[in-house]
Each structure stands twice: as C-alpha cells, then as structure tokens.
C-alpha cells in the first residue's frame, strides 16, 4: 500500500513513482501562508460513545466546520507516541508496516528523507517547526533536520511572549501567540510553512484546575473532567487564532488535527460498557480517530470527509488550496481510492467498511 518498505530500494521506489505519476510536478502559483497544527490529545470523547456533558467541549471547532474541510482522521498513535503522528503526516508513510510499538522519530529517521517539508520547500517556501516541548523529546531536533525544516523553535517561549500554563503545560494560547509573532516577523520574507506542536492537553490530568464551562455528568471521572476542561480551553485558543487571521491581508490556510486520544481506559470502558480490546473493529478504530479541520481565510466550501488517515492528510491540504501533488502524493492518491484510511490497527476499504490490518478483501486485492 505504501513505499515504507522501499526506502532502501531506490530502483523499486522510482519504478512505483514513475508508474503512479499522471502529471508532472509543477510549482503552484498560489502561495498562501500555510500553518499545520498537531494539537496534543485533541479528541472528542463523544465519538467513542454518548457521554453526558453539560456543554459543547469544542464549540469553535464545530462552528468552523461550516466553512472548512473537516472530519475525523485515523491515526496510529494512542495515549502517546505523538512522534508517530508527526511521521505519518509529514512523510505520507503509514505506521501500519513498521514494527508494533515503534517510535518513528527515534528509530526510522536516522538520515535525510523526502517529505512534505522538502516538497513545500520545492514550491518556494521557507519551513519552520514550532514545538511546545523540548528538542530532546523523541529526538525532534534531529528528526526535523532530516525531514528538511529550515529552522526549529522548541519550548516556544521568549521574553516577548507572556507564557501561560494550562494543566501544568505551556498553553495553546501561548503557542499561538508565538506563532503569530513568527508570522508577523516573516511576512516580507516570502511564503512560509509553519509546523506547530502544542502540549497543553498532555496527561496527567490531575492538577485540579478545571473550567466551569464544561462539566462531565455521566459517567463521571476526575481525570476525564480535567481533560475535557483542557480541550474546551484548547478549542477557544484555536478559535482565537482563526479569528486573528480571518481578515488578514494575506491568504492564510490553517490545518489542525489531534495527534491521538488520551489514555483514559477506565473512563472509556465505563463509557462503552466493555473492555476496549473486545470491541468490533468499527468501534475499536474510533480510539484511533481525532478531529481535523482545514480552514482558509479566503474561503473553502464546507465538506465532510468520512474516512481519511494521517498519511493522506497532506494530500487533502494540497487539494484544498490548489497545490499540485508531489509524485509520492500522486501515488498515495491512487491507493487512497481503494483504502481511504489506514493505521497500525486496521484500514477502511472503498466501501467504508473497516478491517483488521492484515485482513484482505476484494477491494484491497485489486491493488496488492
């Protein structure tokens, strides 16, 4: 399904790319500011099962769906290993064909690799990575260099930014204020791509600070209450970021997605009424799905995508803003027709039916 296994086999990789390419890559004439945000543990627990909450946990996200491309993206990570979500989005490769419990950044990025970063650089962009945690986490500094970023900022705080904390972590609001500062500083330096990682919603959820705006009613769990309060604040920060750029003089495209669900097994099992691992695949895969949204201040037609996975999400970003696809992205699009979503757990076929990873059916057999 993908070229992960061909990494060291240059001849085979080139053969697949040449066979799958239908158009020559060309440089896009439209060059908006592009922001892609991987939002720590940003998820909707109501996607798993009906949970009684007194208020909408993500009202800004839900309001913006009316002017955006949106849906749930299937990820391989769960409860951690956010580097694997970065890897899937930035490379187009899926963790499905790497060993279980792998950490892509520390195990499979030991040399320079073509990526969405190198591709958008070929379109004339400068590329920046902004992370709210330390460079040593998942060897991000080394991984980002090998993926092709021009510049990297870690802990995203300096004397010009008033850093606030939520759940003991740098708040999304602070991260977005730092991002805005960078955008303003680079506004005359040509088109820029910003890759942003937040940290606010990271566990543990035991600081005792909760928002009065959202209250978990049934089933109740202290950690889950802390979590949904953090998500409510995270959603508000994202809404403010979008509003900052709504009437901006330049075109700005913002993609945001959650990297994985938090690890709240006890709460989840009380929510669904059984052990998570005993759920049928179509329900189990929901623990590998997070919200995503693509918004453009010049306007996008509202569109819900039923099934997509992280290895295809950069394709959808390019399609939404009229970018040509790289050769590799073009190959991925041909596979996406038959397998619209895939993760380390399973895949959806062209009929939107879910299967465990190595379960073959007639729709998949056509391309294998």
């Amino acid at each position: 399904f993908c070229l992960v296994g061909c990494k060291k086999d240059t001849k085979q990789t080139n053969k697949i790319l040449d066979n799958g390419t239908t158009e020559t890559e060309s440089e896009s004439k439209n060059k908006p500011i592009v922001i892609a945000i991987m939002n720590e543990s940003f998820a909707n627990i109501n996607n798993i099962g009906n949970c009684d909450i007194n208020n909408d946990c993500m009202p800004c996200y839900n309001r913006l769906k009316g002017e955006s491309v949106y849906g749930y993206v299937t990820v391989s990570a769960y409860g951690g290993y956010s580097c694997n979500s970065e890897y899937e989005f930035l490379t187009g490769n899926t963790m499905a064909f790497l060993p279980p419990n792998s950490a892509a950044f520390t195990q499979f990025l030991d040399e320079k690799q073509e990526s969405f970063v190198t591709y958008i650089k070929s379109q004339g962009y400068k590329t920046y990575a902004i992370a709210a945690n330390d460079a040593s986490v998942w060897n991000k500094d080394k991984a980002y260099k090998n993926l092709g970023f021009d510049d990297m900022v870690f802990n995203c705080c300096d004397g010009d930014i008033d850093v606030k904390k939520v759940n003991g972590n740098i708040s999304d609001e602070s991260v977005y204020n730092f991002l805005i500062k960078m955008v303003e500083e680079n506004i005359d330096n040509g088109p820029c791509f910003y890759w942003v990682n937040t940290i606010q919603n990271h566990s543990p959820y035991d600081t005792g600070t909760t928002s009065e705006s959202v209250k978990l009613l049934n089933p109740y769990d202290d950690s889950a209450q802390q979590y949904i309060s953090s998500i409510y604040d995270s959603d508000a920060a994202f809404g403010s970021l979008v509003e900052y750029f709504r009437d901006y003089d330049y075109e700005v495209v913002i993609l945001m997605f959650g990297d994985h669900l938090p690890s709240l097994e006890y709460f989840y099992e009380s929510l669904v009424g059984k052990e998570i691992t005993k759920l049928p695949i179509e329900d189990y895969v929901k623990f590998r799905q997070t919200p995503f949204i693509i918004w453009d201040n010049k306007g996008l037609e509202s569109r819900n995508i039923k099934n997509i996975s992280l290895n295809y999400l950069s394709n959808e970003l390019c399609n939404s803003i009229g970018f040509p696809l790289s050769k590799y992205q073009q190959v991925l699009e041909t596979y996406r027709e038959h397998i619209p979503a895939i993760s380390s757990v399973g895949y959806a076929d062209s009929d939107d039916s879910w299967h465990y990873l190595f379960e073959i059916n007639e729709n998949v057999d056509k391309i294998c």
Side-chain angles (χ1 to χ4, degrees):
F1 306 15
C2 81
L3 308 185
V4 170
C6 305
K7 180 181 177 184
K8 302 294 185 181
D9 190 342
T10 304
K11 290 183 179 179
Q12 180 66 8
T13 300
N14 289 336
K15 180 179 178 181
I16 294 173
L17 290 174
D18 290 341
N19 288 342
T21 303
T22 56
E23 296 179 7
T24 304
E25 291 177 21
S26 58
E27 188 166 328
S28 173
K29 295 179 180 179
N30 181 41
K31 294 184 178 179
I33 298 166
V34 179
I35 299 169
I37 301 167
M38 188 180 76
N39 194 330
E40 172 66 40
S41 297
F42 190 82
N44 181 8
I45 57 178
N46 274 323
N47 187 48
I48 299 168
N50 290 325
C51 184
D52 192 2
I53 304 174
N54 75 324
N55 205 350
D56 186 354
C57 292
M58 43 185 71
C60 296
Y61 172 88
N62 288 325
R63 184 178 67 251
L64 289 168
K65 289 191 298 187
E67 52 185 291
S68 307
V69 177
Y70 68 95
Y72 284 93
V73 61
T74 296
V75 305
S76 292
Y78 168 76
Y81 285 80
S82 59
C83 69
N84 291 343
S85 292
E86 294 193 72
Y87 177 81
E88 289 188 314
F89 175 80
L90 291 172
T91 66
N93 297 337
T94 172
M95 294 296 297
F97 305 113
L98 294 176
N101 303 314
S102 296
F105 272 17
T106 59
Q107 295 174 264
F108 301 106
L109 267 176
D110 55 353
E111 60 187 21
K112 293 188 181 300
Q113 181 171 331
E114 290 189 13
S115 65
F116 179 69
V117 184
T118 58
Y119 177 58
I120 201 168
K121 284 174 69 172
S122 75
Q123 297 289 307
Y125 277 72
K126 293 182 174 64
T127 57
Y128 300 91
I130 302 171
N133 49 12
D134 191 78
S136 63
V137 177
W138 301 118
N139 289 346
K140 282 192 176 188
D141 51 349
K142 180 180 178 181
Y144 287 165
K145 287 178 183 177
N146 285 333
L147 288 170
F149 281 102
D150 294 317
D151 199 6
M152 298 161 277
V153 179
F154 298 97
N155 294 315
C156 59
C157 51
D158 60 24
D160 296 331
I161 298 295
D162 179 21
V163 177
K164 298 179 181 179
K165 297 289 184 75
V166 172
N167 198 33
N169 299 310
I170 296 175
S171 69
D172 288 5
E173 178 185 0
S174 299
V175 175
Y176 297 154
N177 285 340
F178 187 87
L179 166 65
I180 289 170
K181 176 175 175 286
M182 284 197 68
V183 171
E184 298 290 1
E185 289 175 348
N186 291 315
I187 201 65
D188 296 323
N189 296 332
C192 294
F193 167 63
Y194 299 92
W195 171 244
V196 183
N197 294 179
T198 70
I199 197 64
Q200 170 182 300
N201 305 322
H202 199 286
S203 61
Y205 310 107
D206 58 4
T207 63
T209 55
T210 59
S211 170
E212 292 297 315
S213 299
V214 288
K215 291 184 179 180
L216 184 60
L217 302 177
N218 184 47
Y220 184 80
D221 179 85
D222 286 337
S223 294
Q225 172 62 59
Q226 177 79 40
Y227 171 71
I228 65 169
S229 295
S230 183
I231 290 298
Y232 184 86
D233 292 339
S234 177
D235 175 77
F238 179 71
S240 295
L241 177 70
V242 166
E243 292 310 312
Y244 182 88
F245 288 114
R246 183 174 292 279
D247 297 317
Y248 208 59
D249 290 339
Y250 300 84
E251 183 177 1
V252 180
V253 179
I254 303 176
L255 161 67
M256 188 272 287
F257 67 90
D259 58 352
H260 54 69
L261 269 75
S263 181
L264 295 169
E265 282 79 6
Y266 178 79
F267 172 74
Y268 296 149
E269 289 177 0
S270 65
L271 186 61
V272 299
K274 62 175 66 177
E275 292 181 27
I276 298 171
T277 54
K278 294 182 178 179
L279 292 169
I281 181 62
E282 61 268 18
D283 293 327
Y284 184 62
V285 75
K286 292 178 181 179
F287 291 88
R288 299 296 197 283
Q289 292 178 333
T290 62
F292 83 89
I293 194 164
I294 302 172
W295 176 87
D296 189 329
N297 66 343
K298 299 303 181 184
L300 285 177
E301 181 180 351
S302 177
R303 181 164 55 92
N304 174 240
I305 297 180
K306 184 173 182 179
N307 277 318
I308 189 172
S309 48
L310 267 183
N311 59 311
Y312 300 131
L313 197 56
S314 69
N315 286 36
E316 195 57 46
L317 174 63
C318 290
N319 290 337
S320 297
I321 59 180
F323 262 33
L325 298 179
S326 70
K327 289 184 178 180
Y328 186 37
Q329 287 176 316
Q330 291 178 50
V331 173
L332 289 177
E333 281 294 279
T334 64
Y335 292 140
R336 184 181 170 191
E337 293 178 10
H338 301 278
I339 306 170
I342 184 171
S343 75
S344 58
V345 170
Y347 67 92
D349 64 22
S350 56
D351 294 328
D352 291 322
S353 297
W354 280 94
H355 308 270
Y356 286 105
L357 188 58
F358 295 108
E359 176 188 343
I360 301 297
N361 70 3
E362 61 179 15
N363 292 321
V364 174
D365 200 40
K366 295 174 184 176
I367 62 169
C368 289

